[in-house]
């Protein structure tokens, strides 16, 4: 355990907790096993979800052909038959977001419960902290991909228009058994978000705080700020980055850092950018900007466009300038 997560120097008093957390090798202890197994069952689906999203080509041409030739039933049928399997795939992605929400709340429950501090939780439950990081990593990867696929909303809009007009009574309307009107409404709200998975996690974290009224808010926000500090120090310290077995771990750390900052910003009343924030935002942004631009453009955009308090008057001007 001591090799996995180490408190480093006395600068902790000035800069917050400094750790090295081995995201590559943490294994669950007996105490973590039950929650770890539940979350692991969800995470095992994550790569296939990303592969499915990456392979999403859309039915743009078929839809255009159908719209331009409204009386050609062959083209109408072709467009409809192209869109239906895509809608089933979109439902699968949406259903996964609900599983992810449940997994996140289980992890938050484990990593914030009294009597331990966030630091002690990370020391005791390193494998759960790794899973928390993996959820954030997946979330930012999913949203980065989704933002590059405008076909998703176009396909789903066509599906909803077609269903509501009920013009294709004899064409595979059995799909309504899979995606009824209520499900379509929920999916529509999900995909209307620029970053739907991140929105799901932000809402889940906020709901966790709201529903656990006996749990001090600081237990949750300190867990998030501690994770942000862990990642920042690992990224800015060559001694620690040199321990990574894979270059992908560097990007993993960056995504996790940005993810916990966004969650903190949504949950803490004053947000992450305020001078009273327990996250060193200037240091975190600097760490990102020190990386190749191609690796961090999406992450900097996530801080700009998916946080809640960046444009508050209380946000220092130098922080805003760094993100322009």
């Amino acid at each position: 355990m001591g090799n996995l997560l180490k408190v480093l120097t006395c600068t902790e008093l000035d800069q917050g907790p400094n750790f090295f957390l081995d995201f590559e090798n943490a294994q669950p202890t007996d105490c973590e096993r039950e929650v770890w197994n539940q979350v692991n069952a969800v995470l095992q689906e994550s790569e296939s979800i990303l592969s499915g999203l990456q392979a999403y080509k859309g039915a743009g041409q078929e839809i255009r052909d159908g719209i331009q030739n409204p009386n050609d039933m062959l083209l109408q049928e072709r467009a409809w038959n192209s869109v239906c399997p895509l809608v089933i795939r979109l439902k699968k992605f949406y259903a996964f977001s609900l599983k992810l929400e449940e997994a996140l709340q289980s992890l938050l429950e484990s990593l914030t419960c009294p009597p331990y501090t966030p630091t002690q939780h990370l020391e005791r439950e390193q494998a759960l902290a790794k899973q928390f990081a993996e959820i954030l990593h997946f979330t930012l990867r999913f949203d980065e991909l989704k933002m590059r696929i405008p076909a998703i909303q176009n396909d789903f809009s066509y599906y909803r228009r077609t269903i509501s007009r009920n013009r294709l009574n004899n064409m595979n309307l059995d799909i309504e058994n899979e995606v009824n009107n209520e499900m379509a409404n929920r999916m529509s709200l999900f995909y209307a978000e620029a970053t739907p998975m991140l929105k799901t996690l932000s809402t889940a974290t906020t709901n966790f705080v709201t529903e656990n009224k006996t749990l001090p808010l600081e237990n949750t926000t300190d867990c998030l700020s501690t994770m942000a500090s862990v990642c920042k120090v690992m990224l800015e310290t060559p001694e620690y980055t040199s321990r990574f077995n894979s270059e992908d771990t560097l990007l993993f750390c960056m995504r996790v850092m940005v993810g916990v900052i966004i969650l903190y910003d949504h949950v803490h009343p004053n947000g992450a950018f305020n001078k009273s924030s327990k996250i060193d935002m200037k240091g975190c942004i600097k760490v990102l900007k020190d990386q190749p631009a191609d690796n961090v453009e999406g992450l900097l955009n996530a801080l700009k466009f998916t946080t809640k308090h960046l444009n508050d008057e209380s946000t220092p001007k130098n922080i805003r300038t760094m993100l322009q």
Side-chain angles (χ1 to χ4, degrees):
M1 185 184 294
N3 291 331
L4 192 59
L5 181 64
K6 295 181 179 177
V7 179
L8 300 176
T9 67
C10 60
T11 57
E12 179 174 347
L13 293 173
D14 302 319
Q15 298 174 359
N18 292 350
F19 302 101
F20 177 79
L21 175 57
D22 188 345
F23 284 131
E24 296 172 328
N25 302 305
Q27 296 298 317
T29 60
D30 290 342
C31 295
E32 298 169 273
R33 180 75 59 184
E34 185 178 351
V35 173
W36 188 90
N37 284 341
Q38 291 170 7
V39 176
N40 188 54
V42 176
L43 284 171
Q44 281 183 335
E45 289 183 58
S46 63
E47 285 304 320
S48 71
I49 294 290
L50 288 172
S51 298
L53 181 60
Q54 205 154 19
Y56 193 100
K57 300 303 179 193
Q61 187 60 53
E62 292 87 345
I63 290 170
R64 280 191 295 276
D65 290 344
I67 290 172
Q68 288 165 8
N69 300 277
N71 297 319
D72 187 328
M73 293 311 292
L74 186 63
L75 290 177
Q76 302 303 313
E77 187 172 356
R78 185 181 297 163
W80 180 247
N81 289 339
S82 298
V83 164
C84 285
L86 295 173
V87 169
I88 299 296
R89 195 187 305 184
L90 293 176
K91 181 190 174 186
K92 182 182 177 184
F93 299 160
Y94 170 69
F96 185 73
S97 78
L98 302 180
K99 295 180 188 177
L100 211 61
E101 181 178 357
E102 197 174 316
L104 181 79
Q105 291 190 325
S106 294
L107 289 172
L108 283 172
E109 200 172 311
S110 295
L111 293 170
T112 61
C113 61
Y116 302 112
T117 66
T119 301
Q120 290 168 331
H121 272 298
L122 287 173
E123 288 174 331
R124 292 169 57 88
E125 295 136 55
Q126 296 155 9
L128 297 187
K130 179 174 181 277
Q131 286 184 321
F132 186 84
E134 286 170 341
I135 286 177
L136 290 166
H137 183 240
F138 163 83
T139 295
L140 270 76
R141 288 171 71 200
F142 182 96
D143 287 347
E144 283 169 13
L145 283 171
K146 185 264 178 186
M147 289 172 83
R148 299 184 202 138
I149 311 176
I152 287 176
Q153 280 175 277
N154 296 337
D155 293 346
F156 199 65
S157 294
Y158 174 82
Y159 170 78
R160 298 201 73 193
R161 286 198 308 271
T162 305
I163 287 289
S164 64
R165 285 198 309 261
N166 202 20
R167 287 175 60 193
L168 304 175
N169 286 324
N170 60 342
M171 291 185 196
N172 195 24
L173 286 184
D174 289 347
I175 192 172
E176 286 198 81
N177 297 327
E178 289 267 357
V179 182
N180 60 25
N181 196 49
E182 184 188 348
M183 172 61 73
N185 285 337
R186 282 185 277 152
M187 287 171 63
S188 186
L189 289 171
F190 177 76
Y191 288 111
E193 295 287 343
T195 52
M197 286 290 177
L198 203 48
K199 173 68 174 175
T200 298
L201 294 197
S202 297
T203 303
T205 308
T206 303
N207 289 345
F208 173 79
V209 169
T210 305
E211 290 163 11
N212 290 274
K213 298 187 187 303
T214 59
L215 187 72
L217 172 66
E218 291 73 22
N219 286 37
T220 303
T221 54
D222 285 358
C223 173
L224 298 173
S225 61
T226 301
M227 285 288 285
S229 295
V230 167
C231 293
K232 180 181 81 75
V233 171
M234 287 168 63
L235 288 164
E236 67 189 3
T237 310
E239 180 188 344
Y240 303 120
T241 54
S242 67
R243 296 187 195 179
F244 297 156
N245 294 324
S246 165
E247 287 184 18
D248 291 342
T249 308
L250 196 69
L251 187 53
F252 181 95
C253 277
M254 289 190 279
R255 285 200 178 103
V256 173
M257 181 179 75
V258 168
V260 288
I261 288 170
I262 293 167
L263 293 187
Y264 183 100
D265 193 59
H266 279 262
V267 173
H268 197 287
N270 298 325
F273 301 96
N274 193 285
K275 285 182 180 177
S276 64
S277 167
K278 290 189 177 179
I279 296 177
D280 172 15
M281 284 305 306
K282 186 177 177 182
C284 290
I285 296 168
K286 183 179 182 304
V287 161
L288 292 175
K289 292 207 156 188
D290 286 344
Q291 306 299 323
D294 288 349
N295 288 352
V296 297
E297 183 183 1
L299 298 177
L300 290 169
N301 283 338
L303 289 177
K304 277 191 257 189
F305 302 122
T306 63
T307 47
K308 188 177 177 182
H309 294 278
L310 175 61
N311 294 316
D312 288 2
E313 287 184 14
S314 58
T315 298
K317 284 184 181 176
N318 65 325
I319 299 293
R320 267 186 249 170
T321 302
M322 288 179 81
L323 283 174
Q324 281 175 356

